[in-house]
Structure formats: C-alpha cells, structure tokens
Amino acid sequence: MLRRPRRNRKSESIRSAIRETTLTPANLVSPLFLLEGENKSEIITSLPVASRMTLDFMLKEMESSMEVGIDKFMIFPAVPDVYKDKTATYSFADDNFYLRAAEIIKKEIPDVTLISDVAMDPYSVDGHDGLVLDGKIVNDQTLPILDKMAVAQAQAGFDVIGPSDMMDGRVESIRTSLDQAGYYDTSIMSYTAKYASGFYGPFRDALDSAPKGGDKKTYQMDPANKKEALIEAELDTIEGADFLMVKPALNYLDVIHLLNEEFELPIAAYHVSGECAMLLAACEKGWLDYDVVMPETLMSLRRAGADVIMTYLAKSFGEFYYK
Ligand code: PBG
C-alpha cells in the first residue's frame, strides 16, 4: 500500500496541523429575546438553552458572553399584545422598548455588534411578516413599513439590519432609505434563502409570534427548492446586501454550499431554534454527548461554507472553546 491516509490522522499534533476548517467564537452570533421592563428572565421550555429577558439581564448576558469571545448579538423583541396593530406602528415608535434597549446597550458596551430583526410579525395583530389586506400578504405596501423600521433601528444604534421578512425588493428599499437618512455605514444581513420551515417552533413560542391565520408559504421559500435560492441571492446582491443568509441551517447545508460557491458576499447560516432544540433534547435524554455533537454540528456549518453562524449555542461554544 503506497497510500495510507491514516498516517495523517495518527496524532492530535498532525491532525491539528492539517485541519481544513476552523471554528472560533468570532464566527458566532448569539440570538437573544428581549422582554419589556426589568428584573425578569424566563426560560423557554422548548429551547432550554435560551431565555426571554429584560434589558438588565441582557446586559449581564452580553458581558458574560464577551468573556468567552462572543461579541455579536441578534435581538428579537417579545412585544406585548397591547402594542400590536395592523400596520406594526409600534416597530418604529419613539418609546419602543426594543429600540431604546439597543441605544442603552451600545452606550454601555460599545464593542458589541448588534444585529436587528426587520419583519412585521412581532408587532402585527396578524402575526405575519408583511401587511395583511383581505387575507393576502401584500408586498409593495409592506416595504415602506419595513423601511421605517430599519431606519429607526439604525438610528437606535444597531450595526447590522436583518430583514427576515422575505418580501420582494426589500433590500433595495431598505438600503435606499438607510442611505437617504445618512446611515451609509449600517450593514444589511439579508435573510436571503429563508425557508417555510417547521423548525421555527420554539422561536414562535418564545415570542408568541405564530401567524394568527394561514402559514408563511407565500413568502418564505419551499423546502424543495434550491435554484430559487440563487435567484434570491442574485437579487440581494444587486440590491445591496452585505451578507447572504440561509435559514434554517442543518437541513440546508447544500444551499449554504451553493451560495458560497456562486457568490462573493459572506454567507451567514441560522442554526434555528428547532434545530437546537432537537440536539438539546437528545443530549438531555443521554442519547448524545453534548460536548462532542455541539462543536461537530457548528463545524459542519462552517465546512459547508458559512462564515457567520447564528446559534443559541454560541455562548456554550465559547465556554467550551476556552475550557
Ligand atoms: C420572524 C423570524 C423567525 C425567526 C427569525 N425571525 C420566525 C418565523 O419566520 O416565523 C426564526 C428563528 C428561529 O427559529 O430560531 N421574522
């Protein structure tokens, strides 16, 4: 036998020298759920690694995360029903607790990178990402609402705007509005290929944001489609996105790979709530070993081509990495 691939696996010293893919806390983003008020932190039953918390707890969470190298956060608001209406006006209201929290976070911990969520669903009585008129999710009338939301978020200090709504033309519309308001340096991380997935369940539990009627299939992508992701990625690139995101992540490794091959922009992968929940549940039962499968899972996303990974396991990986 002239070729023996096992020679290159014979010690950790050699294995570590030829490792093709790296994963460090710098690649990770930690999604956090914000509650209004203070001194509240509630565990999410279907996603035991995450909590909904008020700003005081969130600041502490960010500080402890930064100690293990996690400095990028995505914030999602749990909006009380009384603030919800048809047109999501609270999303850009002056006294919006989500916007004011971002302002305080950037003042207290200027080194964090804050990523927002742009979509109507947390603020809408209909629970849809776009405006609902006569039972339809209308595209073009949604755009000005998203624009106002994005500009308000940029003004509050968010470093990166994250449109997760899947309306057509929203990246161009948001980019133009941000520029007109003078926010040239505010980035856009577009949810480019966001699929109509069953894996968002625990997230919707956390925010009580499930659609009140129907489903999201007229705007989120069909899980059967891959070429369509190329169309979305091309549009987002032309429209001025800075990052292209694939979501969910694990069942869509082929899509991550494809976009990374075909496009120059950095690729983000969202390891979503349901994907995390599956792993946690199996580990809790003792069926899988968390310290092995957690880094293996995140590494697989890097190997597929993701530069940035949003995962509820970010802090846990940081702790593991520095152990
Ligand atoms: C809403 C939004 C969703 C997620 C991020 N932003 C849910 C949805 O589209 O219904 C899901 C994230 C997760 O499951 O972790 N615009």
Side-chain angles (χ1 to χ4, degrees), residues 55 59 75 94 96-110 114 152-158:
L55 176 61
L59 285 165
I75 314 177
D94 268 346
N96 175 309
F97 71 91
Y98 177 70
L99 301 173
R100 299 294 70 85
E103 218 163 55
I104 293 168
I105 293 165
K106 288 299 289 186
K107 205 181 303 159
E108 302 274 318
I109 326 175
L114 288 189
Q153 292 171 351
Q155 189 178 16
F158 278 99

Side-chain angles (χ1 to χ4, degrees), residues 119 121 129 164 194 200 203-204 216 220 247 272-273 312:
D121 58 336
D129 295 16
S164 69
K194 179 178 181 180
Y200 307 148
F203 177 97
R204 293 179 188 171
K216 297 192 172 187
Q220 299 182 346
K247 174 187 175 182
V272 299
S273 57
Y312 303 92

Side-chain angles (χ1 to χ4, degrees), residues 180-242:
Q180 274 165 4
Y183 297 110
Y184 306 103
D185 291 335
T186 306
S187 318
I188 297 179
M189 179 182 283
S190 178
Y191 289 60
T192 296
K194 179 178 181 180
Y195 287 89
S197 166
F199 288 96
Y200 307 148
F203 177 97
R204 293 179 188 171
D205 292 343
L207 297 188
D208 188 24
S209 66
K212 297 291 177 276
D215 53 42
K216 297 192 172 187
K217 290 182 186 168
T218 66
Y219 46 107
Q220 299 182 346
M221 282 175 55
D222 184 336
N225 294 355
K226 190 157 72 168
K227 285 200 290 183
E228 203 179 337
L230 292 171
I231 299 176
E232 290 285 359
E234 192 178 345
L235 289 172
D236 283 354
T237 302
I238 296 167
E239 293 180 30
D242 300 289

Side-chain angles (χ1 to χ4, degrees), residues 51-305:
S51 304
R52 306 188 288 192
M53 59 189 105
T54 49
L55 176 61
D56 44 350
F57 275 96
M58 191 168 283
L59 285 165
K60 285 187 203 131
E61 174 65 21
M62 288 178 170
E63 268 156 10
S64 59
S65 299
M66 287 184 77
E67 278 166 27
V68 292
I70 306 297
D71 64 355
K72 290 171 274 295
F73 303 92
M74 219 165 193
I75 314 177
F76 297 96
V79 180
D81 280 343
V82 288
Y83 298 150
K84 298 184 185 179
D85 61 16
K86 201 70 199 155
T87 53
T89 46
Y90 184 71
S91 65
F92 46 86
D94 268 346
D95 56 354
N96 175 309
F97 71 91
Y98 177 70
L99 301 173
R100 299 294 70 85
E103 218 163 55
I104 293 168
I105 293 165
K106 288 299 289 186
K107 205 181 303 159
E108 302 274 318
I109 326 175
D111 291 344
V112 295
T113 293
L114 288 189
I115 307 172
S116 75
D117 181 46
V118 172
M120 286 179 64
D121 58 336
Y123 310 97
S124 148
V125 280
D126 298 305
H128 274 288
D129 295 16
L131 181 65
V132 182
L133 290 182
D134 300 326
K136 276 203 168 130
I137 292 93
V138 294
N139 195 89
D140 299 13
Q141 287 112 304
T142 299
L143 299 182
I145 300 172
L146 302 176
D147 293 349
K148 279 189 221 160
M149 205 183 298
V151 169
Q153 292 171 351
Q155 189 178 16
F158 278 99
D159 303 281
V160 181
I161 302 299
S164 69
D165 54 282
M166 290 301 280
M167 297 298 121
D168 292 335
R170 90 272 206 213
V171 172
E172 178 177 4
S173 188
I174 289 171
R175 183 71 270 161
T176 307
S177 303
L178 289 174
D179 288 358
Q180 274 165 4
Y183 297 110
Y184 306 103
D185 291 335
T186 306
S187 318
I188 297 179
M189 179 182 283
S190 178
Y191 289 60
T192 296
K194 179 178 181 180
Y195 287 89
S197 166
F199 288 96
Y200 307 148
F203 177 97
R204 293 179 188 171
D205 292 343
L207 297 188
D208 188 24
S209 66
K212 297 291 177 276
D215 53 42
K216 297 192 172 187
K217 290 182 186 168
T218 66
Y219 46 107
Q220 299 182 346
M221 282 175 55
D222 184 336
N225 294 355
K226 190 157 72 168
K227 285 200 290 183
E228 203 179 337
L230 292 171
I231 299 176
E232 290 285 359
E234 192 178 345
L235 289 172
D236 283 354
T237 302
I238 296 167
E239 293 180 30
D242 300 289
F243 299 83
L244 303 176
M245 191 199 291
V246 176
K247 174 187 175 182
L250 290 179
N251 291 311
Y252 299 85
L253 292 176
D254 55 335
V255 181
I256 296 172
H257 177 78
L258 179 69
L259 295 197
N260 188 46
E261 293 284 302
E262 300 296 324
F263 293 88
E264 289 74 34
L265 287 171
I267 305 296
Y270 199 143
H271 179 226
V272 299
S273 57
E275 298 180 304
C276 261
M278 289 197 299
L279 185 148
L280 292 169
C283 293
E284 196 182 285
K285 278 190 171 287
W287 293 350
L288 293 174
D289 181 346
Y290 183 78
D291 277 353
V292 181
V293 297
M294 182 269 293
E296 180 180 336
T297 298
L298 301 180
M299 183 65 86
S300 76
L301 300 175
R302 291 274 298 145
R303 196 190 61 240

